[in-house]
């Protein structure tokens, strides 16, 4: 029973991680493309908040619950699907850390522009391009991790 509870928590946590990521990316990207500075300011504030509330907590919980399930199930850490899952999770994390920094800066620029009734600076759009470029490999990596975690190919 313990394994099933941890597995359920792991699945719920991964759903929060992935869902928050894809939802935040969607709203951040499309509010930015609208060029409506006030909308961008509101959305970016909520995206940063969601990253801290949901993404940061699940980023920590995922490996803890995953390693505990590996232990309970008796899988060797050298199993190819586990090694690839860890490597791809680290790739996603390596993309996410600069994304968080970028989002905070983008939020601050949007807040200042909305407050002062100005257009967003060119730096915002540069950061958006980098943010998007980092999001693509993180998304692909997590999709593959989902596959590996469910299929466990040997």
């Amino acid at each position: 029973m313990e394994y099933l509870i941890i597995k359920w928590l792991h699945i719920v946590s991964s759903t929060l991680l992935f869902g928050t990521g894809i939802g935040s990316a969607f709203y951040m990207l499309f509010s930015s493309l609208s060029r409506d500075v006030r909308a961008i300011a509101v959305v970016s504030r909520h995206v940063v908040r969601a990253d801290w509330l949901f993404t940061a907590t699940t980023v920590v919980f995922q490996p803890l619950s995953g390693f505990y399930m590996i232990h309970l199930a008796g899988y060797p850490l050298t199993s190819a699907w586990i090694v690839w899952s860890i490597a791809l999770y680290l790739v996603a994390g390596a993309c996410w850390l600069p994304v968080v920094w970028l989002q905070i800066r983008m939020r601050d620029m949007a807040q200042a522009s909305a407050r002062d009734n100005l257009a967003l600076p060119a730096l915002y759009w540069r950061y958006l391009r980098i943010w998007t470029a980092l999001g693509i490999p993180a998304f692909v990596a997590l999709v593959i991790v989902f596959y590996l975690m469910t299929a466990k190919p040997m």
Side-chain angles (χ1 to χ4, degrees), residues 16-94:
L16 283 170
L17 173 64
F18 190 77
T20 300
I22 194 88
S24 293
F26 178 86
Y27 288 111
M28 184 81 161
L29 178 63
F30 285 100
S31 69
S32 293
L33 294 178
S34 78
R35 295 191 177 265
D36 181 338
V37 176
R38 294 190 192 291
I40 296 166
V42 170
V43 169
S44 62
R45 183 177 71 241
H46 292 302
V47 164
V48 169
R49 186 175 297 144
D51 252 1
W52 289 115
L53 289 173
F54 302 110
T55 310
T57 55
T58 57
V59 161
V60 172
F61 184 75
Q62 281 291 286
L64 295 174
S65 58
F67 282 121
Y68 189 52
M69 285 190 306
I70 289 167
H71 167 73
L72 290 175
Y75 289 115
L77 283 173
T78 56
S79 298
W81 71 272
I82 293 173
V83 171
W84 276 105
S85 293
I86 293 167
L88 290 166
Y89 190 77
L90 292 173
V91 166

Side-chain angles (χ1 to χ4, degrees), residues 15 26-27 29 36 41 61 63 73 94 101 103 115 144 148:
T15 303
F26 178 86
Y27 288 111
L29 178 63
D36 181 338
F61 184 75
W101 184 87
Q103 285 175 175
R115 180 190 65 235
I144 296 169
L148 294 169

Side-chain angles (χ1 to χ4, degrees), residues 17 21 25 51 55 59 86-104 106 127-143:
L17 173 64
D51 252 1
T55 310
V59 161
I86 293 167
L88 290 166
Y89 190 77
L90 292 173
V91 166
C95 292
W96 177 70
L97 288 172
V99 159
V100 170
W101 184 87
L102 290 165
Q103 285 175 175
I104 292 168
M106 293 163 71
Y127 281 1
L128 182 65
R129 285 190 298 278
I130 297 166
W131 177 87
T132 303
L134 288 167
I136 293 167
F139 172 81
V140 171
L142 288 180
V143 167

